Amino acid sequence: MIEIVDLHKAFNQGRPNEYWAIQGISLALERGQVTAFMGPSGSGKTTLLALIGCLARPTRGRIRLNGEDISGLPERFLTALRRRHFGFVFQQFNLIKGLSARDNVMLPAYPLAPPYRQLRARADALLAQFALTHRADAQVEWLSGGEQQRVAIARALINDPPILVADEPTANLDTALSREFLAILGELSRAGRTVLLSSHDPLVLESPLINRRVALRDGRVVAD
Amino acid sequence: MTDGFRRQRYLIDFSLAAMGRRKVRNLGLLAVYSLLVFVLASVMLFTHGLRQEAKRVLAESPEVILQRLVAGRQDLIPPGYLERIGRIRGVQKIQARLWGYYYDPVVKANYTFMVPEARPLAAGEIVIGPAMARERGLVAGNLISFRSYSGRLFTFKVAEVLPQASELMSADLVLLGAGDFRAFFDFPAGHYTDITLTVANPLEVRNVAAKLAAALPDARPILREEVQRTYAALFDWREGMVLTVLSGALLAFAIFAWDKASGLSAEERREIGILKAIGWESGDVLRMKFWEGGLISLAAFLLGYLAAWVHVFHLDGALFRPVLQGWAVLYPHFRLTPEVDGLQLATLFFFTVFPYTAAVLVPIWRAAITDPDAVMRA
């Protein structure tokens, strides 16, 4: 479903501080699986997720999504692909302060402009799924860490993407909340979504929910 | 509702929410912006109102005024001059006028003494303008004395105070009978101040003036349209002068607005990064910020213009009246007729709303085209 061929990504290319974050990764990621990318800081996990999720373009190499080459697409098409295929959960949650939990959940759908009632109903259903109905109108900065993460997951799912990308999702959570996240992950996996996550949290990496573990170091795959 | 329209509505909703989250900054900007529009609109509305008022008043004045010149200065019309004009085709009426200026040392003001054409006044009676009545505390029936230029004291009875509606032109006016006028100013018998000619066909006015100039080489015909142009130029000049003085404030606002609009806070940059990462295009971010800038500048424009309207047409333009109206002792009290010049409105709109909205877009564009993966690394 996602095919990565000889992927390279350089930052500050041509400058004295040039840095190759990804150096020739090739992988095939199956639909409906939970794949964890692990490795120390600077190993290239986040960059790889950003490249797969169309948040950045590779310097060299190919990424194919359902057989279609997406590595050289212009920004507009990449954004449309990202909206349709990927939902993101960031390490810092990246919710917009001052807006309610519901408004944050609805934000990714604004450019698609669905009818408001329909959008709100979908957001409320997702908030209910993650036990956040009573916090729907609360501003996100008033929510606990676990609640903020659930809002972030609900936001990632508002456009009903088949692939969920989560970057270090448990880095800011305690053990209980991390287990809660894994339970949600299990639900999403059972619902048929593909999950790609990066982590170096043993609780996540040792979880039976993870179908595949890919170890990275210095921008290369060292174990699969 | 179409998708495009609904999309804009979502963007506007988000813009309003974003503005609400930065209340202090946006309210401060709105206040300064509205003040600037208020000042500019006040000057424009007031001068336009004055121009229109002068045009309306002058519309009733004669088409041609004929003055006699001696050594390039205006002199009295001697006896027999009226007859020398003779009959000119197209002229409906020729009328010799008596009028002059009198300086009143009591209130340090100049009055215009005039003999009315249509209204015969009894000897010893005068009709006065409302500003003069105010300054000297006069009402109908009061007596007032003036010492003439020859040193003699004349006492007149105020028969009537002119209505306020005509104050723009009659503020300092004193109407009196021809006999009293001649006695007061020692005006020689048979002489007049100037001559007015009424011409029915506006296309004939210039021909009449040319014939007058040919028949009376020592005379100067003044056309009504020239007077109107002079008034318009005078108000334009005053407006320009005030705007020049205000240009410092304009520049200060431009710097303030540029700083406020272009200085994206770290929080705003972070938000733009998040929006792009969750699926907004650079165009969506630009449109959202365009709405934000547009809503602020439009609100400021409406608020400022409305305040200027109230200031000019309901509070008599109190702030700019002394500069724009003229320099005099007897300021007329009058209310301008509310009137909007479309071109002026469009110019003000363009020069206030457009630069701000554009100033907002440049830095946003720079932030919006950065790769969304920056948010992953934050």
Side-chain angles (χ1 to χ4, degrees), chain A residues 66-129:
Chain A
N66 299 327
E68 185 193 353
D69 186 356
I70 59 169
S71 36
L73 290 176
E75 192 226 323
R76 246 186 111 182
F77 294 95
L78 272 186
T79 308
L81 266 177
R82 193 160 70 236
R83 263 198 309 247
R84 220 170 38 240
H85 293 278
F86 297 94
F88 293 89
V89 178
F90 304 101
Q91 186 178 342
Q92 307 288 343
F93 312 136
N94 281 336
L95 299 172
I96 295 202
K97 285 180 199 159
L99 292 186
S100 69
R102 183 189 290 112
D103 286 340
N104 263 285
V105 171
M106 293 195 302
L107 267 182
Y110 282 2
L112 298 169
Y116 181 76
R117 255 184 228 184
Q118 198 181 312
L119 175 59
R120 192 184 154 118
R122 210 159 71 216
D124 284 346
L126 282 166
L127 287 167
Q129 184 184 340

Side-chain angles (χ1 to χ4, degrees), chain A residues 11 47 55-56 75-76 79 82-83 88 90 94-99 107-108 110-111 113-116 119 155, chain B residues 3 6-7 10 14 17 21 270-271 274-282 284 371-373 375-378:
Chain A
F11 291 102
T47 306
L55 286 171
E75 192 226 323
R76 246 186 111 182
T79 308
R82 193 160 70 236
R83 263 198 309 247
F88 293 89
F90 304 101
N94 281 336
L95 299 172
I96 295 202
K97 285 180 199 159
L99 292 186
L107 267 182
Y110 282 2
Y116 181 76
L119 175 59
R155 183 181 67 182
Chain B
D3 280 3
R6 207 161 35 221
R7 189 170 172 165
Y10 279 128
F14 185 78
R21 281 181 288 130
R270 184 179 158 270
E271 274 185 25
I274 296 172
L275 292 173
K276 285 204 71 178
I278 62 174
W280 285 39
E281 284 173 25
S282 301
D284 293 323
D371 270 348
D373 68 327
V375 77
M376 295 273 274
R377 262 176 273 282

